[in-house]
Amino acid sequence: MTRSRIRGTGSYLPDRVVTNAELETMVDTTDRWILERTGIAQRHIAAPDQICSDLAEAAARRALTHAALTADDIDLVVVATSTPDHIFPSTACRLVERLGIAPGAIAFDIGAACSGFVYGLDVADRFIRTNGAQRALVIGAEVFSRILDWEDRSTCVLFGDGAGAVVLEASEKPGILSTHLHADGRQTPLLNVPWGVSQGYERLEGSHGKVSMRGNEVFRVAVRTLGALVDETLSANGLERGDVDWLVPHQANIRIMTATARKLGLPPSRMVSTVADHGNTSAASIPLALDTAVRDGRIQRDELLLLEAFGAGFTWGSALIRY
Ligand code: ACO
């Protein structure tokens, strides 16, 4: 039976770093508050002329090089993002052109907020397992800085920009072992960007196009939901606490991440954490963390990884992977 396996990883972060100290000069906050509540020390912010496909292309090229493949080898592009280049075409279509992938490939974007990368992995895995594609680029890319209200201290300190990518390919040896996706639209008011194009441009005013979050309430739901997701993923695969080698979580908040690691029976040293340096890069955070730990040698071939995310929607999901 054909399965899918990660062949290469890549990531990209914009050059500009904004530290907590710099944020102290912009809003009523402190380095200490941000570090203690979130674990974030700095974040990367895109240059004014950088758009989503610039970040995504850089990450994708690095993933292709790491996989020792070229654009000619790719027949599926999935981009998870909430901050695309255009309303249409999709950022994935832009990448087909920018990377030089043969016209005729399948390409589309996925909107599942911070869970988008896990959703993208699931979809690409299904394409490959059913012979709809041979080699996929799955990318999470965000320019979240554009949808932040830089006068709202409760949100602007949390997010950053970046992109991460994996090359997923057909394989006899299983890589993606199981995926578990969920959504519940009932709590939209807790976390959203209240404006969208179908409301009309005339309604776009003030902070309407910016992230709005009741963080404290989201926090409680996230911890509870991710705990249940860990149980679901372990039991679906006949695993016990402590059986997974690495947790590669969505990097929203170190306290949420640590609670999930504890639930998995893992010490903090077995959790890949980039939140201090990257902040929350939404759909990009998991592939950025994965690429970081692959390149610094922590994650080794054949190790067992649990990827998990929780985000606006609410959406949440996990992927159990033999790397
Ligand atoms: N600096 C200083 N004080 C602040 C700041 C800040 N940047 N932001 C808020 N505060 C204040 C609040 O006004 C409040 O003050 P008050 O007690 O006088 O009213 C106090 O700090 C406590 O605020 P809380 O919101 O209760 O703080 P909390 O400990 O919950 O931390 C945080 C806030 C970091 C946002 C946390 O709730 C969190 O991480 N939530 C989950 C975020 C998440 O996972 N989102 C999903 C993914 S994102 C996506 O999908 C797009």
Side-chain angles (χ1 to χ4, degrees):
M1 188 175 65
T2 307
R3 303 296 293 267
S4 79
R5 197 172 169 87
I6 293 176
R7 174 156 168 164
T9 65
S11 60
Y12 171 81
L13 290 160
D15 292 338
R16 175 153 152 64
V17 170
V18 174
T19 60
N20 291 348
E22 188 174 344
L23 286 175
E24 284 178 355
T25 68
M26 296 162 62
V27 286
D28 181 15
T29 192
T30 60
D31 173 46
R32 188 167 169 193
W33 189 96
I34 301 170
L35 259 182
E36 282 180 357
R37 300 289 178 128
T38 71
I40 299 169
Q42 61 168 52
R43 70 288 293 144
H44 292 248
I45 298 293
D49 61 347
Q50 277 185 311
I51 57 175
C52 186
S53 60
D54 293 320
L55 280 55
E57 179 187 347
R61 286 192 186 282
R62 288 174 186 174
L64 284 171
T65 303
H66 188 233
L69 294 171
T70 68
D72 290 336
D73 299 307
I74 300 298
D75 55 4
L76 170 64
V77 182
V78 180
V79 177
T81 186
S82 298
T83 49
D85 286 12
H86 305 291
I87 293 167
F88 59 76
S90 67
T91 303
C93 282
R94 297 294 305 121
L95 287 179
V96 169
E97 190 261 328
R98 294 184 59 150
L99 291 167
I101 292 168
I106 304 165
F108 54 87
D109 290 357
I110 283 191
C114 296
S115 310
F117 182 76
V118 177
Y119 267 66
L121 263 188
D122 173 287
V123 170
D125 173 59
R126 289 174 198 272
F127 264 94
I128 290 172
R129 281 195 285 117
T130 53
N131 240 343
Q134 289 297 303
R135 289 202 182 98
L137 265 170
V138 184
I139 302 163
E142 300 282 13
V143 193
F144 236 67
S145 56
R146 304 281 197 269
I147 54 166
L148 295 176
D149 176 350
W150 287 97
E151 292 179 358
D152 175 10
R153 68 175 184 173
S154 70
T155 52
C156 76
V157 304
L158 303 175
F159 296 94
D161 300 333
V166 302
V167 177
L168 203 63
E169 73 173 358
S171 157
E172 290 309 310
K173 208 172 158 186
I176 311 271
L177 301 176
S178 77
T179 48
H180 307 268
L181 304 185
H182 300 287
D184 177 352
R186 287 174 298 175
Q187 285 154 313
T188 302
L190 298 189
L191 174 55
N192 62 43
V193 175
W195 181 83
V197 286
S198 68
Q199 295 176 38
Y201 290 101
E202 62 283 4
R203 292 248 201 103
L204 176 56
E205 55 191 44
S207 61
H208 261 60
K210 306 290 167 71
V211 173
S212 155
M213 179 164 74
R214 294 190 346 226
N216 195 291
E217 290 162 80
V218 174
F219 185 97
R220 284 198 296 270
V221 183
V223 170
R224 193 175 61 237
T225 305
L226 290 171
L229 185 64
V230 163
D231 287 340
E232 176 189 346
T233 312
L234 291 181
S235 85
N237 290 278
L239 296 173
E240 303 284 336
R241 291 175 79 245
D243 282 350
V244 168
D245 293 310
W246 291 100
L247 172 64
V248 188
H250 169 48
Q251 312 279 316
N253 183 314
I254 192 72
R255 293 182 289 143
I256 299 175
M257 294 157 58
T258 309
T260 311
R262 211 176 299 127
K263 180 83 185 166
L264 255 181
L266 295 185
S269 59
R270 286 272 146 190
M271 173 178 82
V272 180
S273 175
T274 52
V275 69
D277 295 332
H278 302 172
N280 179 350
T281 57
S282 191
S285 90
I286 291 177
L288 264 162
L290 177 64
D291 185 52
T292 301
V294 164
R295 283 174 194 259
D296 69 21
R298 270 178 290 171
I299 292 181
Q300 297 288 321
R301 279 285 170 204
D302 290 321
E303 285 188 317
L304 195 56
L305 320 181
L306 183 86
L307 279 47
E308 52 77 359
F310 179 88
F314 291 130
T315 55
W316 62 102
S318 65
L320 186 75
I321 297 175
R322 183 69 66 188
Y323 176 64

